[in-house]
Amino acid sequence: MGDPLDQKDLIHLPFLKEAQQFLGDFASPLDTFLTTPLGERVVTRAYARVAMAVRKGRSDQGRTLSRATTDALGIRIEIASFVLARIIVSCVKDRSLIERLCRYEAQLAYEALVEGSEKTRDLVAERIGFVPIKGSVPVVMYIEAVAGLREDRWRLVNREVEGGLVALTKSEADELMRERIRVMLTQQLPLSVPDTVCRYLEPITTDLLAMVKASILEEFGEIEEGFFPPCIKAIIDALAVGTNITHPGRFALTAFCHTIGMATTGIIELFSRAPDFSYDRTIYQVEHITGRGGTEYSPPSCATMRTHGLCVKPDPLCTKVNFPIRYYSVKKKSHLPREGGETSQGSPST
Ligand code: SF4
């Protein structure tokens, strides 16, 4: 395992094997532990972790708390709360909640690494198998690391490649470490949790699921196909008349619909409009794109849509956005009723 990490660092890196070793049998057997006063503290912290993940880190209360925790008991409570947070989202069985937690945990680790010592950063890089040498990584490692990132700056054609190595700045390497942690965590979930534990946690899981649904509604509102951008409408129209949709087109439609909160069944319903619809093939593709394989793919940018010939009949709003998802969000907001019942169809500031 190489040099040991400082015990305090384990608070921010609870996913590492040595954090789990440090935890030992602190919380076992779990169903009994949860009912103890210490167990209740862990439940409270685990709930806070997941709730903050749902709010997309809008509160840094958790980090402040965990940074103040330096004694062995406090460190164990933090690590146990990470474990329990994973158990909670596994009981909920909502992919979007799992993805939010993994993204949040990866972000916490990233912030600790950026602020921490070089030595800690190098030790963690070793543990997660992402070790740039003199600021570069082999192309194969790079491609794997950016597989879930959609920003154009990560595309290999936009990178400096020499001798089979891709050059990275330090901050880019940090971002890729965060991504690596996110993917690792996502691939491990959901866990198989005994029914008795899920039942005990039910009041919490019900509350968190409602929180997720409310946050998607807050961000995108009810799904309204009428506000879909021309490119996405064109894909849906093409499906309906039986045109063969390319893989990038299927990907764009699925990732777009997943991001605005459409359930897998809703996405499959869209694909079912195609005359050659195959349930098994569609569910496989949809689950792969929406993260069941461990990587949650973001919807493509307008630039990527153009590259694949998917930018169809752009309208005036298109000149103001760089992402189809942004088009939808802006258009929806511009049609929100103002006080007095009118809609606010002014020019969006994008
Ligand atoms: S500009 Fe963007 S949102 Fe508009 S049609 Fe093209 S890809 Fe879609």
Side-chain angles (χ1 to χ4, degrees):
M1 200 177 271
D3 288 348
L5 281 154
D6 191 294
Q7 237 174 46
K8 286 204 299 287
D9 288 331
L10 299 180
I11 296 173
H12 314 297
L13 307 161
F15 50 87
L16 292 180
K17 205 177 270 177
E18 52 231 275
Q20 302 308 313
Q21 283 166 351
F22 181 74
L23 188 62
D25 58 4
F26 174 74
S28 58
L30 185 63
D31 45 0
T32 312
F33 172 76
L34 291 177
T35 61
T36 66
L38 208 48
E40 281 171 21
R41 278 175 70 183
V42 172
V43 170
T44 304
R45 277 293 297 130
Y47 174 86
R49 280 189 114 97
V50 184
M52 281 185 282
V54 173
R55 290 189 215 110
K56 296 191 175 169
R58 271 177 236 163
S59 158
D60 64 356
Q61 188 196 4
R63 250 175 36 237
T64 310
L65 263 175
S66 62
R67 279 176 184 161
T69 307
T70 50
D71 60 277
L73 176 62
I75 296 170
R76 285 199 171 90
I77 288 176
E78 280 305 304
I79 299 172
S81 75
F82 163 81
V83 175
L84 188 59
R86 284 153 53 90
I87 288 173
I88 289 172
V89 298
S90 297
C91 288
V92 176
K93 293 193 183 74
D94 179 89
R95 199 69 215 167
S96 128
L97 186 58
I98 288 174
E99 283 153 11
R100 284 172 191 232
L101 180 68
C102 296
R103 194 172 291 281
Y104 174 74
E105 294 294 346
Q107 177 66 18
L108 287 188
Y110 164 80
E111 288 172 16
L113 291 175
V114 168
E115 292 168 20
S117 68
E118 279 292 312
K119 186 178 168 218
T120 302
R121 188 172 165 276
D122 292 347
L123 290 175
V124 175
E126 239 176 66
R127 305 291 198 274
I128 64 171
F130 186 80
V131 189
I133 297 167
K134 293 186 184 159
S136 297
V137 290
V139 170
V140 174
M141 184 188 280
Y142 177 81
I143 290 173
E144 195 190 337
V146 301
L149 300 173
R150 284 282 166 262
E151 284 171 81
D152 286 342
R153 68 187 168 116
W154 296 116
R155 295 178 67 196
L156 196 56
V157 288
N158 296 329
R159 309 300 310 185
E160 188 189 316
V161 184
E162 205 179 318
L165 295 171
V166 183
L168 295 170
T169 64
K170 181 176 172 299
S171 68
E172 285 173 338
D174 288 341
E175 286 182 74
L176 293 187
M177 279 176 72
R178 172 179 60 194
E179 176 64 4
R180 174 105 182 98
I181 294 168
R182 184 190 72 76
V183 171
M184 269 171 41
L185 294 178
T186 310
Q187 281 171 341
Q188 294 161 357
L189 296 178
L191 307 169
S192 168
V193 184
D195 285 349
T196 47
V197 173
C198 287
R199 268 200 301 278
Y200 181 80
L201 295 168
E202 205 166 301
I204 289 179
T205 53
T206 306
D207 188 48
L208 288 167
L209 190 55
M211 201 184 277
V212 175
K213 293 207 167 19
S215 100
I216 291 175
L217 260 183
E218 187 191 316
E219 197 171 346
F220 292 108
E222 298 285 353
I223 293 164
E224 298 194 47
E225 271 192 47
F227 298 143
F228 282 8
C231 48
I232 299 294
K233 277 187 187 158
I235 297 171
I236 295 172
D237 290 347
L239 274 173
V241 296
T243 308
N244 187 30
I245 306 296
T246 59
H247 177 71
R250 286 173 179 268
F251 171 84
L253 178 62
T254 304
F256 174 90
C257 292
H258 174 63
T259 304
I260 63 170
M262 193 180 279
T264 300
T265 46
I267 301 173
I268 289 170
E269 194 275 321
L270 285 178
F271 281 104
S272 74
R273 298 175 192 183
D276 66 341
F277 170 69
S278 149
Y279 180 82
D280 288 344
R281 193 185 66 216
T282 305
I283 195 148
Y284 172 80
Q285 289 175 342
V286 169
E287 291 196 334
H288 176 71
I289 294 167
T290 57
R292 209 164 277 275
T295 302
E296 178 202 5
Y297 294 95
S298 312
S301 63
C302 294
T304 305
M305 295 290 277
R306 277 192 283 275
T307 303
H308 293 295
L310 294 167
C311 175
V312 179
K313 295 187 196 153
D315 65 17
L317 177 53
C318 287
T319 60
K320 300 186 166 94
V321 301
N322 292 320
F323 286 83
I325 201 85
R326 181 74 183 135
Y327 178 107
Y328 177 72
S329 165
V330 169
K331 193 154 187 179
K332 272 212 82 172
K333 282 191 185 125
S334 72
H335 283 75
L336 283 178
R338 283 180 183 157
E339 278 177 42
E342 291 173 20
T343 57
S344 51
Q345 299 191 27
S347 181
S349 54
T350 309

